[in-house]
Amino acid sequence: MATYVIMAALEAGLATLLEYLSAHVLTCLVPAFFIAGAIAALLNKDTVLKYFGADAPKWLCYSVASTSGTILAVCSCTILPMFAGIEKRGAGIGPATAFLFSGPAINLMAIILTARVLGLDLGVARAVAAVFMAVVIGLIMAAIFQRHDPSCKNDAAPSSFDVDPDPDQMSRPKYITGTFMAVLVAILLVATSSAIELLPKAIIVGALIAVAAFLMNRYYQPEEKSAFLEETWWLTRKIFPLLVVGTFVTGVIGYFLPVEWVRTIFGTSSFLACFLASVIGSLLYMPTLLEVPVVGTLFGYSTGVTAAGPALALLLAGPSLSLPNMIVIWRIVGAKKASVYISLVVILSTLVGMLYGAVVS
């Protein structure tokens, strides 16, 4: 009997993994890893981080901070060194914590994968809610601790943005990197689209790949090409094995998880359900992209076991917080600021989840 149960659980995990890989690797993960590699190798992160300085206008601070995750593409642990760096350089506590939340919460790959696997409505809701929460968290943190830790000024100082251009970038038009990134994103969007037939999709994707290859060969230096491929491969090696193992484990655990128990707790978008989802999400460590199969399979959102509200609460709190992440934040900014930040993430995730659940129901 025990052998049968173990074998059945392993088969459930394998079935979940094969379903996940067959549906999403070629059309979603492969283009997403190339985008992440381009972000890491070809975009200058220092340029982004300069917008957090004390001389930047407040609207610019929070605009950049709340959307920086789409550029940096990091998880809840990778964001910590950058958060510590900008906090140490004098960035205000408001923009710094908005950046801390948005970095993993608005990961471009995760948002697209959420829309692809869990549904477009939940993917859009996650993106909009994450930007909104980043701004609100930053503003509240600044309002509470502003007197002792000044944030951004309202007047800009243009000289603070004068940066010497990179020699490699001087040999190509400034719009090339943006165009190259846009082509990679277009490949991902077309490849994952269900509104385009297979043959036209293959033709369009092939043409876009040719354009991307032309831009890379024509405008980028050999060392940049090498860095792009190395970053892509490094991210793949770092994330993909965890994604495979995590997806398999969620399938195995899902076999043993009582459906009715989950339905009883997370089957509605009540305050208790969304709050428990936020707390659970804040304690679990979810590597990049793993929150999607966790919510879809382990908590049963894909099969209708978990309601929309708790699912969104998990997707908001889970990638942004984890127990190791909270310990490091505690050490960087102190107990008081860390406690307020963590409480804001949990409370806002709960409230946003309740609101979303009420709207979709």
Side-chain angles (χ1 to χ4, degrees):
M1 181 64 179
T3 304
Y4 171 78
V5 172
I6 293 174
M7 291 301 298
L10 293 177
E11 288 178 3
L14 183 61
T16 301
L17 176 61
L18 291 177
E19 179 184 0
Y20 183 79
L21 295 181
S22 62
H24 307 296
V25 168
L26 185 61
T27 60
C28 188
L29 289 181
V30 171
F33 280 125
F34 276 103
I35 293 172
I39 288 170
L42 304 180
L43 289 185
N44 189 346
K45 294 179 183 178
D46 291 338
T47 301
V48 177
L49 297 182
K50 277 187 174 293
Y51 289 88
F52 295 89
D55 292 325
K58 181 176 290 188
W59 68 267
L60 185 58
C61 280
Y62 289 103
S63 297
V64 174
S66 63
T67 57
S68 57
T70 57
I71 297 177
L72 298 174
V74 293
C75 68
S76 64
C77 288
T78 309
I79 194 69
L80 294 171
M82 287 183 280
F83 167 69
I86 65 171
E87 199 271 341
K88 187 176 181 180
R89 286 185 214 169
I93 189 64
T97 48
F99 168 77
L100 175 63
F101 176 81
S102 74
I106 317 175
N107 186 313
L108 180 62
M109 292 189 294
I111 294 295
I112 294 175
L113 193 62
T114 300
R116 173 70 172 170
V117 177
L118 303 181
L120 180 61
D121 53 347
L122 189 59
V124 173
R126 180 183 179 183
V128 173
V131 174
F132 168 77
M133 284 179 58
V135 174
V136 172
I137 289 170
L139 290 174
I140 294 176
M141 291 290 291
I144 295 174
F145 301 106
Q146 183 85 27
R147 289 168 294 181
H148 305 291
D149 192 355
S151 185
C152 301
K153 296 180 181 178
N154 290 326
D155 297 323
S159 60
S160 66
F161 300 108
D162 293 336
V163 183
D164 292 333
D166 183 39
D168 290 332
Q169 295 180 358
M170 295 180 64
S171 62
R172 61 176 175 267
K174 294 182 178 180
Y175 62 84
I176 290 298
T177 297
T179 303
F180 181 72
M181 293 293 302
V183 171
L184 293 181
V185 172
I187 292 172
L188 178 60
L189 295 176
V190 172
T192 57
S193 173
S194 57
I196 306 176
E197 296 294 332
L198 182 59
L199 182 58
K201 180 186 293 187
I203 294 173
I204 296 172
V205 169
L208 290 171
I209 291 175
V211 173
F214 169 78
L215 292 174
M216 175 59 67
N217 289 325
R218 175 68 176 81
Y219 292 103
Y220 288 93
Q221 303 295 325
E223 56 271 20
E224 291 177 303
K225 301 174 188 176
S226 177
F228 166 56
L229 295 176
E230 288 175 3
E231 287 288 351
T232 301
W233 176 236
W234 183 83
L235 285 165
T236 304
R237 284 185 298 144
K238 181 181 179 181
I239 296 174
F240 189 69
L242 290 174
L243 192 59
V244 170
V245 173
T247 303
F248 176 77
V249 171
T250 57
V252 173
I253 297 176
Y255 175 82
F256 293 103
L257 199 64
V259 175
E260 290 305 318
W261 180 80
V262 176
R263 191 189 305 275
T264 300
I265 298 178
F266 299 115
T268 66
S269 297
S270 64
F271 172 80
L272 180 60
C274 294
F275 178 73
L276 288 176
S278 299
V279 172
I280 292 172
S282 67
L283 294 175
L284 294 176
Y285 173 65
M286 299 184 187
T288 303
L289 305 182
L290 188 58
E291 71 273 12
V292 176
V294 165
V295 173
T297 302
L298 182 59
F299 286 89
Y301 176 77
S302 298
T303 56
V305 175
T306 293
L312 181 58
L314 274 166
L315 290 172
L316 292 171
S320 304
L321 289 176
S322 64
L323 190 57
N325 166 280
M326 290 188 282
I327 293 172
V328 175
I329 294 172
W330 199 286
R331 298 194 64 179
I332 293 174
V333 298
K336 185 182 295 185
K337 293 177 182 176
S339 299
V340 173
Y341 170 75
I342 293 167
S343 300
L344 285 172
V345 173
V346 172
I347 292 171
L348 287 175
S349 297
T350 301
L351 296 177
V352 170
M354 291 175 60
L355 178 62
Y356 177 67
V359 169
V360 298
S361 64

